[in-house]
Amino acid sequence: RTRGPAVQHRDYLSRSRRWGEMTEPLLASSVVGGDPVAPPLEPLAAEGEAAGAAVAPAPAAAEATADAPPAYSFKAFAMELGLGRFVAALEAADLLGNYVDTCESPLTLFAPSDEAFARLGALPDDLQVLRELLCVHITLGSLSHAELLNTRSITTISQQTHHVVLADDGQKVLQVGSASLERTDVQLPDGRGVLHVIDSVMCCIRLLQNCRYEQVWNKTVRPSPKVGLAGEWRKSQDELHAILIHCDTWQPRFQGLRGSVVPLGGGGSTGEKTHKSFQDGTVHFTELLILEKPPEMSKKKRKKPEDNLADGSMSQQPALDGNQSSNYRIMFSLYRRFEPADGAAPAVDPAAAA
């Protein structure tokens, strides 16, 4: 989740809510680890014993040390699965020994195949960007394929949310964020979690430039938000959307913004050129304008619920709490456009959110 003044939040290829049917968050926040366990105290040497005796290991202790199981190594485990490029990326980001191998909580790892990394090409040169890219492939807790089927979204350790959907393409492949699962439920040793092999490097959404806290209705948002993308996306299908979200209720206002959709590329069968607002992996929302005045700021007197009952009418909108603020966030969400084979209107589904 990108923090800052009123208008940001990592959107999605899914947020913890699915657009059109907003619900409470599906996953609670998780806490890594607990209090450290202190090693057992060694007994003090008896008075008069040689000083060296206190530090020399007992024969039984030396044998126990020799028989101890080797330390957990995700590198060795993943190399046997043919995930050498994923391991190399974790090492380059300094996330292997400092996080994956030592995390006290079970993890769910979405590991791109070597073919996916080869298709991506060179990894980001910036260490922070590389870390954020890899962190959108890791979630706390062990989530099996069956558990993923029963949820609508997951939140990664970088607070980006991925939409989870079973693709309706005849093959019934589970899609998490911008990637599809190729191999599922590979159990990590010693109950350390589960690994799923995916067909692409997930798209990471990063807020590069925020706008001011206060904005004017019916005016262009200033300064223009800038959002950076890393990873893989489909040029002919994917779009980045900006959506107004009420800070208290998390209700979206889909018609609240103009200039809120930027196609990510073009160059498909239509021969479209790259969109002017998308260059070098950065989306510039230069034409983003607030269209609708938030209802919380309206000066018109609202009917009370009992007034609706008295005159026989029932409002379709729930009465707003007088304590609710008029503050909104802007969520940036990656959407994927699907072209149906029967010639029907194309469908647009969320893939990931930031």
Side-chain angles (χ1 to χ4, degrees):
R1 185 176 300 163
T2 307
R3 304 187 182 278
V7 275
Q8 62 271 27
H9 190 212
R10 288 248 177 125
D11 212 51
Y12 52 181
L13 291 183
S14 86
R15 171 111 200 115
S16 323
R17 307 158 176 83
R18 185 176 182 178
W19 301 125
E21 45 184 301
M22 300 288 285
T23 61
E24 293 301 316
L26 298 173
L27 295 179
S29 58
S30 302
V31 180
V32 180
D35 296 332
V37 179
L41 296 176
E42 295 294 336
L44 295 177
E47 187 176 0
E49 280 189 54
V55 295
E63 292 177 4
T65 303
D67 295 337
Y72 169 69
S73 171
F74 176 77
K75 179 177 181 178
F77 177 79
M79 294 297 285
E80 292 182 359
L81 298 175
L83 299 173
R85 296 201 178 194
F86 182 54
V87 170
L90 289 172
E91 287 182 317
D94 200 21
L95 289 173
L96 189 58
N98 287 332
Y99 187 78
V100 175
D101 281 347
T102 57
C103 183
E104 297 179 11
S105 170
L107 298 174
T108 300
L109 301 175
F110 297 94
S113 63
D114 279 4
E115 292 78 9
F117 276 107
R119 190 168 58 248
L120 179 66
L123 293 173
D125 295 329
D126 187 284
L127 179 59
Q128 184 61 29
V129 176
L130 179 59
R131 284 179 174 174
E132 291 191 33
L133 174 61
L134 293 174
C135 284
V136 304
H137 296 77
I138 305 172
T139 66
L140 290 174
S142 180
L143 295 173
S144 67
H145 182 270
E147 289 170 318
L148 289 171
L149 283 173
N150 291 322
T151 188
R152 294 177 180 171
S153 63
I154 59 172
T155 302
T156 67
I157 61 173
S158 65
Q159 295 303 301
Q160 176 166 309
T161 307
H162 293 308
H163 188 61
V164 180
V165 63
L166 191 63
D168 189 14
D169 56 1
Q171 299 180 357
K172 300 298 182 181
V173 176
L174 189 64
Q175 179 176 319
V176 177
S178 57
S180 297
L181 273 59
E182 291 186 336
R183 181 179 177 184
T184 63
D185 294 342
V186 181
Q187 298 298 318
L188 300 181
D190 304 324
R192 291 179 175 268
V194 64
L195 179 145
H196 307 289
V197 180
I198 56 178
D199 66 348
S200 65
V201 179
M202 291 183 178
C203 187
C204 172
I205 306 173
R206 307 171 58 246
L207 183 61
L208 303 180
Q209 177 172 287
N210 189 24
C211 54
R212 291 191 300 267
Y213 181 81
E214 294 183 348
Q215 298 291 333
V216 180
W217 168 58
N218 208 27
K219 296 291 184 181
T220 305
V221 173
R222 290 291 180 240
S224 302
K226 294 182 182 179
V227 179
L229 300 179
E232 186 176 354
W233 57 87
R234 299 181 185 177
K235 295 181 179 180
S236 60
Q237 292 181 269
D238 292 352
E239 305 168 343
L240 192 67
H241 291 215
I243 304 170
L244 272 182
I245 301 293
H246 190 264
C247 288
D248 292 346
T249 65
W250 284 100
Q251 292 299 313
R253 298 184 65 82
F254 293 106
Q255 308 302 322
L257 297 171
R258 187 178 71 190
S260 59
V261 178
V262 176
L264 300 183
S269 59
T270 60
E272 298 178 20
K273 295 182 179 179
T274 302
H275 195 277
K276 63 179 181 180
S277 297
F278 179 57
Q279 301 291 335
D280 299 325
T282 302
V283 178
H284 302 257
F285 285 92
T286 56
E287 300 176 357
L288 194 63
L289 181 141
I290 302 175
L291 284 178
E292 296 184 3
K293 188 173 184 178
E296 297 82 358
M297 299 178 66
S298 175
K299 294 182 179 180
K300 294 181 180 180
K301 185 177 180 181
R302 300 183 179 277
K303 283 187 177 183
K304 297 180 180 179
E306 53 269 24
D307 295 336
N308 291 331
L309 294 173
D311 60 16
S313 65
M314 288 295 294
S315 172
Q316 297 298 318
Q317 296 295 332
L320 291 171
D321 188 344
N323 296 325
Q324 289 180 4
S325 70
S326 58
N327 294 331
Y328 283 75
R329 294 174 183 261
I330 295 179
M331 292 178 62
F332 299 100
S333 179
L334 184 64
Y335 277 72
R336 179 156 295 169
R337 181 177 296 275
F338 294 94
E339 301 291 344
D342 56 3
V348 180
D349 291 331

